């Protein structure tokens, strides 16, 4: 891949204006959101969107989510049914993407040929200012090289995308830290295609009149409902091994190589220069810090990461989902 000169833009009026200009000219801009940093291009420009796939090394059949600054921008991009309108009203702006039948303006390059499009309105103020400045809908996957953890800070976004994007906005740390919940509406109700900041319980509380189906693995031979599901994801360089909540044993650390440990709540661990323990006080903190801790462990040359897999409820489902992918489902 050819290396680009990447501008670093400040999150101020001048920076957002320059970022908007780059998007309208068909370039790629990395921008902060409350979930993770995104790698954006003009969603109405098929050529610009093609550059995203190249910059990330992303498989061509994995569609992109389209972002707008405001909720009322969505109706121009997709068919918004009454049920969709209720979900939009309850959760957008916020960490949720809704899959809806696309309208004709959205190029096939964005949806990988699917008749539907994933739509999101971020709640992060810097994302809002960037999208307003762009003035066009912005297609954006997470700003990582395909298969790697998503960036949740400017430093991580820069490490991943310098030389690949035209510009990176110097934003703050992502408040949620995991990618958005992806929801699809079917005749029988709502289906979660990817758990995230809006939980199954949150959706049930709003969509009382309909069935909310949690994340289901595709059956063997069946096409995955979100094309991205079939690929390896969120993997740091270090090998990740999980242990279920309540099964911590310091002996798991062993003595082979440098080990990073992620725990939920305090745990007794041996004091050693080869062991780095990070204790998360809540699942919210776990979600927010997960990818950043992966980044630190990799930077410090850890060979192995031992991570506590939280109970599958609320936001814990999203954390567990990312950990299962990062580890390839391997438990200690
Ligand atoms: O929080 C997020 O959603 C971030 C920020 C930047 O907004 N974006 C993000 O995009 O995580 P990405 O490309 O890393 O993940 C998008 C996922 C993929 O698994 C893709 O297969 C799925 O969304 N997806 C996109 N459009 C879809 C569609 N029409 N139907 C089903 N799945 C879709
Ligand atoms: Mg991604």
């Amino acid at each position: 891949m050819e290396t680009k000169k990447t501008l670093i833009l400040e999150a101020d009026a001048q920076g957002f204006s320059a970022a908007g200009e780059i998007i309208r000219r068909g370039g790629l801009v990395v921008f902060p959101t409350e979930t993770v940093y995104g790698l954006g291009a003009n969603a109405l420009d098929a050529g610009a969107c093609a550059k995203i796939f190249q910059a990330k090394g992303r498989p061509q059949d994995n569609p992109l989510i389209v972002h707008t600054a405001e909720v009322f921008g969505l109706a121009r991009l997709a068919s918004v049914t009454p049920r969709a309108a209720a979900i939009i009203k309850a959760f957008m702006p916020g960490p949720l993407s809704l899959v809806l039948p696309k309208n004709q303006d959205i190029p096939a390059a964005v949806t990988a040929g699917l008749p539907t499009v994933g739509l999101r309105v971020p709640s992060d103020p810097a994302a809002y200012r960037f999208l307003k400045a762009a003035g066009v809908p912005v297609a954006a996957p997470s700003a990582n090289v395909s298969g790697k953890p998503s960036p949740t800070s400017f430093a991580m976004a820069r490490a991943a995308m310098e030389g690949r994007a035209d510009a990176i906005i110097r934003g703050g740390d992502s408040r949620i830290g995991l990618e958005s919940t992806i929801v699809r509406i079917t005749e029988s109700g709502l289906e979660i295609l990817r758990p995230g900041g809006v939980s199954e319980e949150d959706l049930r509380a709003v969509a009382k009149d309909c069935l909310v189906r949690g994340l289901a693995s595709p059956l063997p031979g069946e096409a995955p409902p979100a094309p991205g599901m079939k690929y390896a994801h969120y993997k740091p360089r270090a090998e990740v091994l999980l242990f279920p909540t309540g099964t911590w044993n310091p002996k798991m650390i062993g003595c082979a190589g440098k080990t990073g440990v992620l725990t939920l709540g305090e745990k007794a661990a041996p004091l050693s220069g080869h062991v780095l323990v990070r204790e998360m006080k809540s699942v919210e903190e776990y979600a927010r810090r997960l990818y950043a801790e992966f980044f630190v462990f990799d930077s410090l040359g850890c060979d192995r990461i031992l991570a506590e897999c939280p109970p599958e409820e609320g936001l814990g489902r999203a954390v567990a989902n990312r950990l299962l992918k990062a580890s390839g489902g391997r438990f200690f």
Side-chain angles (χ1 to χ4, degrees):
M1 201 197 68
E2 128 201 47
T3 305
K4 289 185 174 179
K5 164 112 186 66
T6 303
L7 283 173
I8 302 300
L9 299 174
E10 300 306 320
D12 58 17
Q14 204 184 339
F16 289 121
S17 159
E21 185 72 40
I22 292 169
I23 291 289
R24 288 191 300 281
R25 282 207 315 260
L28 302 183
V29 176
V30 175
F31 64 102
T33 86
E34 74 279 22
T35 57
V36 301
Y37 275 66
L39 174 65
N42 180 354
L44 306 178
D45 178 344
C49 292
K51 293 183 195 165
I52 291 179
F53 289 85
Q54 222 193 347
K56 275 186 64 109
R58 183 179 179 98
Q60 293 292 335
D61 67 348
N62 195 1
L64 307 174
I65 293 174
V66 176
H67 301 68
T68 63
E70 276 138 350
V71 164
F72 62 75
L74 300 177
R76 264 178 269 147
L77 304 174
S79 315
V80 179
T81 57
R83 179 153 283 159
I87 297 300
I88 291 169
K89 184 162 177 245
F91 300 110
M92 293 184 175
L96 177 131
S97 299
L98 194 55
V99 174
L100 295 174
K102 78 174 192 84
N103 84 6
Q104 63 212 27
D105 295 352
I106 310 267
V110 169
T111 63
L114 292 177
T116 54
V117 61
L119 296 176
R120 178 157 124 73
V121 182
S123 63
D124 181 79
Y128 173 81
R129 291 182 71 190
F130 161 68
L131 291 166
K132 276 300 252 193
V136 290
V138 172
S142 48
N144 51 280
V145 170
S146 241
K148 294 287 171 198
S150 304
T152 53
S153 69
F154 169 71
M156 291 166 76
R158 185 172 191 172
M161 285 295 142
E162 189 145 44
R164 295 172 185 261
D166 295 292
I168 304 174
I169 297 173
R170 192 195 305 273
D173 295 350
S174 302
R175 187 174 57 80
I176 308 272
L178 297 179
E179 304 81 356
S180 61
T181 305
I182 304 179
V183 174
R184 174 167 76 172
I185 301 176
T186 67
E187 268 165 38
S188 59
L190 302 182
E191 259 176 21
I192 297 174
L193 305 185
R194 178 176 72 186
V198 171
S199 70
E200 199 173 313
E201 291 83 350
D202 296 336
L203 282 163
R204 283 221 177 87
V206 166
K208 289 197 186 71
D209 60 323
C210 79
L211 191 75
V212 177
R213 256 187 56 188
L215 191 68
S217 303
L219 301 168
E222 195 189 7
M229 275 180 173
K230 63 178 181 285
Y231 296 110
H233 262 320
Y234 324 119
K235 279 185 185 293
R237 198 190 38 74
E239 169 193 43
V240 181
L241 275 176
L242 309 182
F243 60 95
T245 281
T247 66
W248 169 249
N249 178 349
K251 291 208 179 89
M252 286 193 284
I253 291 172
C255 51
K258 197 165 186 173
T259 303
V261 185
L262 294 173
T263 71
L264 189 55
E266 268 178 54
K267 301 280 185 317
L271 278 178
S272 143
H274 284 278
V275 184
L276 301 149
V277 182
R278 300 278 197 273
E279 293 168 342
M280 310 295 152
K281 287 184 200 67
S282 62
V283 281
E284 286 73 23
E285 185 180 351
Y286 207 160
R288 190 170 68 246
R289 287 176 49 188
L290 178 64
Y291 295 147
E293 296 299 351
F294 278 177
F295 183 73
V296 170
F297 288 152
D298 272 354
S299 315
L300 296 175
C302 287
D303 306 289
R304 207 168 58 140
I305 298 171
L306 266 176
E308 180 162 354
C309 194
E312 299 218 15
E313 58 195 34
L315 188 59
R317 278 200 201 84
V319 177
N321 170 267
R322 303 317 189 269
L323 284 172
L324 285 164
K325 290 242 173 188
S327 63
R330 287 187 314 141
F331 279 83
F332 190 83

